[in-house]
Amino acid sequence: MGHSPSISFAKFTAPKTGNVIVLAADGGTISERGQAVDPAGVLKKAFGIAEFTGKAASTVEVLAPQDTGFDRLVAIGAGSPDKLDEQLWLRLGGVAYPLASSAPTGTVILDLPDDEIASEMAATFALGMALRAYSFDKYKTKKGKEDDKGASAKAKKDARIVIQCADPAAAKKEFAAREAALEGANLARELVNEPANMLGPLEFADRARELEKLGVEVEILAEKDMKKLGMGALLGVAQGSPRGARLVVMQWKGGKAKKKPVAFIGKGVTFDTGGNSMKPVAGMEDMKGDMGGAAAVTGLMHTLAKRKAKVNAVGIIGLVENSVDGASQRPGDIVTSMSGQTIEVINTDAEGRLVLCDALWYCNDRFKPKFMIDLATLTGAVIVALGQNHAGLFSNDDELAERLAAAGSATGEKLWRLPLGEEYDKLLDSKNADMKNVGGRQAGAITAAQFLQRFVKDAAWAHLDIAGTAMGSPATDTNKSWGSGFGVRLLDRLVSDHYEG
Ligand code: BES
Ligand code: MN
Ligand code: ZN
């Protein structure tokens, strides 16, 4: 899946060949070990010519510097030391990746003053590199046409990258913990990028089944099982597709036996045509990514199991295709959810909430979890409200919401809280059933969240609307992929900060 570059850590030694990278602080200051690789001062000279001042994430490179065996000598700006936080270290790694890997070997001199955090920062930097390295090219038959235009240098996938730092063994250990999150994020990216002809509900369930190798217990419920449970809302969405429907229940039992699990629930619409309330042609291909929530939950379960997190975690994903066919549900149809509540389907394109309402109810009913967090590419309205740099956060629990927002700031997978309230909830009342599945033109992201809240009773719950962030968000220094893997690192951090041990 994807590609993980070769990254290792070593003690400081004079590099002989390949690309050599040093960091420069504000004002273009380079550490002593950085200066040592540039005795002739060619970098310093280049700083002046390029007007390089060490501004964070800016770069200068010198090609084939004289009297060295190097291909390139590169400086990356680290900015002012007091602003060098975790997010920036991650980003610097992303900036460095193509510059380090355009030669057979890339050496990064990470000479940090504060030894205590130096290993963590080196590992975070390495994670940034590895996140940047992912690209989705399995269906390109002509390899080698580089699509990474992020730098003048072209990344070579087989390059060996060495990060020189004060305590390589410690950095290696720190990086191993982060590699679990990298793998999870790359799994989510890969699932989102896969086209819907390759990845339908059954194929997705097979991919989730593979987590058994890591010790995750995986149960797969088919249509008849869901019918028995009364999941009429989820099955109503699936009924127009020949690709079937699955509910996958993943359990990672890394915590104490009696401890309540934390639960993550994902929307897995492997393609969303809108159904009879069909979507317009323009951009419909993006709806292959309408399983971004399920991808994040699957990636998270991979991560937790891989790093043997000391937590009991449940991941539940509802997998369906929202298709158009003689058998598809119609606007006006009334379905009965597992909760017993009836729903008038005004718009068959508001299908994600119909999938999630049964998955949430099932999760709460069966597991009585400590909290439930659902992730869904749920509404276009959240993109109108927040754009593509923050996901929408809704919650009935302030502590959970605050912890989520903090994990978002730390990982760069940012959240912004939007309100819930009775006035919004009322918009879902229906003439013909207990509720309708759309609220009207206003506050579309909020009424979608209100709909979900009708299925969580008094459980602590948060809903992340990742329609703008799971796919098609602007490329960053650490993500060049259409499917971003959003949510995996965020939730892994939430768990490791608050719910382990
Ligand atoms: N999957 C879409 C939401 C979406 C839109 C995700 C754009 C990513 C990018 C969802 O199923 C949907 O169609 N929502 C409708 C709801 C409406 C009918 C109330 C929407 O947002 O238009
Ligand atoms: Mn839809
Ligand atoms: Zn959808």
Side-chain angles (χ1 to χ4, degrees):
M1 162 232 315
H3 163 75
S4 288
S6 149
I7 300 178
S8 59
F9 300 89
K11 286 213 170 341
F12 296 108
T13 49
K16 301 230 156 39
T17 56
N19 292 339
V20 177
I21 297 185
V22 301
L23 294 188
D26 254 352
T29 356
I30 307 177
S31 72
E32 257 172 55
R33 286 195 182 93
Q35 288 176 36
V37 298
D38 182 26
V42 292
L43 255 186
K44 275 280 174 197
K45 193 170 174 204
F47 285 5
I49 297 164
E51 293 178 22
F52 174 88
T53 60
K55 186 168 161 277
S58 64
T59 63
V60 181
E61 51 183 313
V62 178
L63 299 182
Q66 214 186 344
D67 300 330
T68 72
F70 306 163
D71 289 15
R72 290 182 164 76
L73 184 55
V74 183
I76 298 179
S80 83
D82 54 306
K83 293 206 183 97
L84 231 181
D85 58 6
E86 183 181 349
Q87 256 199 75
L88 185 52
W89 276 114
L90 200 67
R91 186 169 168 218
L92 293 180
V95 170
Y97 174 71
L99 295 163
S101 62
S102 66
T105 57
T107 306
V108 185
I109 316 270
L110 273 195
D111 188 9
L112 308 176
D114 186 348
D115 276 351
E116 281 215 351
I117 57 159
S119 304
E120 280 180 43
M121 297 306 110
T124 300
F125 180 90
L127 174 63
M129 284 192 139
L131 283 167
R132 166 70 178 252
Y134 173 87
S135 65
F136 182 69
D137 48 20
K138 63 191 278 200
Y139 297 110
K140 295 205 176 189
T141 60
K142 296 184 186 70
K143 304 284 176 195
K145 280 197 178 172
E146 211 32 80
D147 51 11
D148 193 341
K149 298 199 178 70
S152 56
K154 283 185 180 167
K156 285 193 181 57
K157 298 225 153 181
D158 54 357
R160 282 176 297 111
I161 298 169
V162 180
I163 297 176
Q164 295 191 356
C165 56
D167 187 347
K172 188 179 170 191
K173 204 168 148 220
E174 290 283 347
F175 184 52
R178 287 162 178 75
E179 268 184 310
L182 169 71
E183 284 182 13
N186 279 350
L187 172 58
R189 286 166 160 180
E190 193 81 358
L191 290 167
V192 171
N193 285 327
E194 281 287 358
N197 61 330
M198 303 307 246
L199 192 84
L202 275 63
E203 294 83 7
F204 196 136
D206 287 344
R207 299 291 295 267
R209 174 79 82 195
E210 287 175 25
L211 296 190
E212 285 179 343
K213 283 182 218 149
L214 296 173
V216 178
E217 289 173 27
V218 181
E219 291 162 64
I220 301 179
L221 281 60
E223 291 91 335
K224 60 176 188 331
D225 309 309
M226 291 189 269
K227 201 163 175 202
K228 254 187 239 158
L229 289 162
M231 295 188 172
L234 184 153
L235 290 171
V237 177
Q239 75 190 26
S241 168
R243 308 281 298 273
R246 293 291 184 268
L247 189 87
V248 181
V249 181
M250 296 166 271
Q251 293 186 70
W252 167 248
K253 296 176 177 167
K256 296 200 183 82
K258 291 267 156 53
K259 214 152 187 208
K260 277 187 180 184
V262 296
F264 304 93
I265 298 95
K267 168 181 173 182
V269 177
T270 57
F271 196 81
D272 181 12
T273 64
N276 275 313
S277 315
M278 194 175 237
K279 288 188 178 298
V281 169
M284 203 206 273
E285 67 278 11
D286 286 355
M287 288 301 114
K288 72 173 185 177
D290 207 19
M291 26 55 72
V297 169
T298 308
L300 174 68
M301 296 305 289
H302 176 105
T303 298
L304 295 177
K306 178 80 186 201
R307 69 174 181 80
K308 298 194 163 52
K310 292 187 177 56
V311 67
N312 296 326
V314 175
I316 296 183
I317 54 178
L319 301 170
V320 300
E321 181 179 71
N322 189 22
S323 202
V324 222
D325 179 83
S328 297
Q329 68 183 344
R330 295 137 294 250
D333 282 6
I334 296 177
V335 296
T336 304
S337 65
M338 183 182 172
S339 72
Q341 300 176 92
T342 56
I343 304 159
E344 185 179 16
V345 181
I346 299 295
N347 189 324
T348 64
D349 195 14
E351 85 297 340
R353 60 199 76 181
L354 297 171
V355 173
L356 284 173
C357 74
D358 279 339
L360 282 164
W361 188 270
Y362 176 82
C363 180
N364 201 15
D365 191 52
R366 175 170 169 192
F367 293 105
K368 312 271 178 301
K370 180 160 179 57
F371 62 68
M372 297 197 284
I373 298 175
D374 76 75
L375 297 96
T377 49
L378 204 61
T379 67
V382 84
I383 306 176
V384 174
L386 298 177
Q388 300 201 281
N389 296 312
H390 287 83
L393 159 64
F394 302 83
S395 184
N396 60 6
D397 186 296
D398 290 340
E399 184 183 65
L400 182 58
E402 278 154 28
R403 288 175 172 184
L404 273 164
S409 309
T411 55
E413 296 189 331
K414 292 183 294 220
L415 304 175
W416 197 262
R417 193 172 181 185
L418 293 167
L420 292 164
E422 262 173 56
E423 307 86 335
Y424 297 112
D425 180 73
K426 269 211 302 255
L427 299 172
L428 296 168
D429 290 342
S430 155
K431 279 203 301 279
N432 302 308
D434 296 337
M435 72 192 85
K436 48 188 185 176
N437 75 329
V438 293
R441 275 218 304 281
Q442 298 184 344
I446 302 176
T447 52
Q450 290 298 161
F451 182 95
L452 299 178
Q453 195 176 8
R454 290 187 178 210
F455 298 85
V456 302
K457 295 203 275 191
D458 51 10
W461 156 79
H463 158 57
L464 308 183
D465 193 336
I466 59 172
T469 53
M471 59 206 187
S473 49
T476 67
D477 288 319
T478 48
N479 181 52
K480 298 291 165 192
S481 161
W482 182 77
S484 65
F486 185 98
V488 175
R489 291 187 301 111
L490 167 80
L491 296 174
D492 181 47
R493 176 61 66 93
L494 176 81
V495 169
S496 65
D497 277 356
H498 300 288
Y499 302 101
E500 283 193 61

